[in-house]
């Protein structure tokens, strides 16, 4: 049976890498982002894997946008097997300097989007009596981080949400798990000084930064048949930062 995966925030970075890995695994992909150029670049790479890929520009923090998007995806593909809640932003600041909109924006895009997408998608999965919900959290949601109380709160919220829906949906063949990445190699981390990089490495027992491919591999496992008896879990992909 051909299977379909939705990946939010798939225009670039970790989201794009997740979509590419699932495409290589044989999933048709419905990819979401707000940047049309990024979406089209991802679409071309995904289709080169020999699967179907449709793009959906929608604001995942808006429930009405998400409802319309999920309805269209279901019409286009006929089923939804995997939802990857990946969309997220940062607006870092110390608490006493943090503006209300910096808090609201991060909570809305990082956490409310997970509620929106999961609620809309789970209705379809319940009728199918099958599905995988995979949400990208963060080690910061477990251990906290100065200057990121909004981001940490949003990611901690994803963890609590995941455990709750795993209990609600498990009897209908739907699993829900979260992945908590640690420090991941990005264009931003590449620009850090050697001193700053060494400080990061000192916090990681394995001694190096993770890559988007490490996260994508974990998503691939959770979306595949070998994880069928795993639900309500938070898998740390962090080189041993949080034990």
């Amino acid at each position: 049976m051909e299977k379909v995966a939705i990946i939010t925030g798939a225009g670039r970075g970790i989201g794009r890498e997740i979509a590419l890995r699932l495409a290589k695994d044989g999933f048709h992909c419905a990819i979401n982002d707000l940047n049309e150029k990024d979406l089209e670049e991802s679409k071309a790479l995904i289709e080169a894997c020999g699967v179907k890929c449709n793009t959906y520009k929608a604001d995942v923090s808006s429930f009405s946008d998400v409802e319309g998007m999920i309805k269209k995806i279901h019409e286009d593909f006929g089923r939804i097997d995997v939802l990857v809640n990946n969309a997220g932003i940062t607006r870092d600041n110390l608490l006493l300097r943090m503006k209300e909109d910096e808090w609201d924006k991060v909570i809305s895009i990082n956490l409310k989007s997970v509620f929106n997408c999961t609620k809309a998608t789970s209705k379809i999965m319940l009728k199918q009596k099958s599905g995988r919900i995979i949400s990208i959290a963060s080690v910061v949601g477990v251990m906290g981080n100065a200057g990121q109380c909004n981001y940490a709160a949003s990611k901690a919220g994803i963890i609590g949400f995941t455990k709750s829906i795993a209990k609600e949906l498990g009897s209908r063949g739907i699993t829900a798990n979260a992945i908590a990445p640690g420090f991941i190699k990005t264009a931003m981390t590449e620009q850090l000084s050697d001193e700053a990089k060494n400080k990061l490495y000192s916090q990681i027992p394995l001694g190096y930064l993770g890559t988007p491919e490490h996260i994508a591999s974990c998503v691939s496992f959770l979306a595949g048949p070998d994880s069928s008896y795993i639900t309500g879990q938070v898998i740390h992909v962090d080189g041993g930062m949080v034990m």
Side-chain angles (χ1 to χ4, degrees):
M1 182 185 295
E2 294 186 336
K3 293 195 172 185
V4 177
I6 300 172
I7 306 96
T8 67
R12 56 182 176 166
I14 291 173
R16 177 183 285 181
E17 199 60 47
I18 289 169
L20 277 170
R21 177 56 189 265
L22 291 178
K24 290 171 184 175
D25 290 344
F27 285 88
H28 298 303
C29 294
I31 58 173
N32 155 266
D33 208 291
L34 284 175
N35 188 306
E36 290 182 358
K37 183 176 181 292
D38 288 345
L39 276 177
E40 289 304 317
E41 289 176 0
S42 291
K43 175 182 169 72
L45 292 169
I46 291 163
E47 288 181 333
C49 298
V51 299
K52 181 180 177 182
C53 178
N54 287 0
T55 63
Y56 302 86
K57 182 182 177 183
D59 178 1
V60 289
S61 69
S62 162
F63 187 72
S64 60
D65 270 23
V66 168
E67 257 194 332
M69 178 180 73
I70 299 302
K71 181 180 179 182
K72 186 68 169 62
I73 291 171
H74 195 225
E75 288 172 354
D76 291 344
F77 289 93
R79 62 183 295 112
I80 297 171
D81 299 283
V82 175
L83 167 66
V84 182
N85 289 307
N86 169 75
I89 63 166
T90 57
R91 294 289 186 274
D92 296 349
N93 218 335
L94 294 172
L95 173 62
L96 293 180
R97 296 176 183 170
M98 186 172 289
K99 297 175 183 176
E100 185 180 3
D101 71 304
E102 290 175 329
W103 172 271
D104 290 345
K105 194 74 173 174
V106 168
I107 296 297
S108 185
I109 292 176
N110 293 12
L111 182 56
K112 188 186 175 191
S113 67
V114 175
F115 165 81
N116 291 342
C117 293
T118 304
K119 181 178 172 66
T121 304
S122 63
K123 294 176 183 177
I124 294 164
M125 291 181 173
L126 284 167
K127 290 179 181 177
Q128 294 174 175
K129 296 185 179 179
S130 67
R132 305 289 174 85
I133 298 164
I134 304 163
S135 300
I136 307 302
S138 170
V139 293
V140 170
V142 178
M143 67 181 192
N145 197 32
Q148 286 193 310
C149 65
N150 50 0
Y151 186 76
S154 71
K155 295 303 185 177
I158 288 173
I159 291 170
F161 179 85
T162 296
K163 291 178 178 291
S164 298
I165 63 166
K167 292 182 177 182
E168 291 184 21
L169 303 175
S171 64
R172 299 297 291 273
I174 301 168
T175 66
N177 293 288
I179 297 172
F183 291 132
I184 302 300
K185 194 174 184 179
T186 63
M188 183 177 70
T189 57
E190 283 299 288
Q191 295 173 9
L192 295 174
S193 67
D194 288 342
E195 183 182 354
K197 286 180 182 177
N198 289 333
K199 188 176 180 181
L200 287 182
Y201 299 154
S202 70
Q203 300 177 55
I204 307 168
L206 288 183
Y208 60 92
L209 301 182
T211 66
E213 289 85 355
H214 286 127
I215 310 306
S217 293
C218 191
V219 171
S220 173
F221 168 69
L222 290 173
D226 291 341
S227 67
S228 60
Y229 201 56
I230 298 173
T231 195
Q233 302 305 306
V234 182
I235 300 179
H236 293 243
V237 185
D238 62 5
M241 269 184 68
V242 179
M243 297 187 190

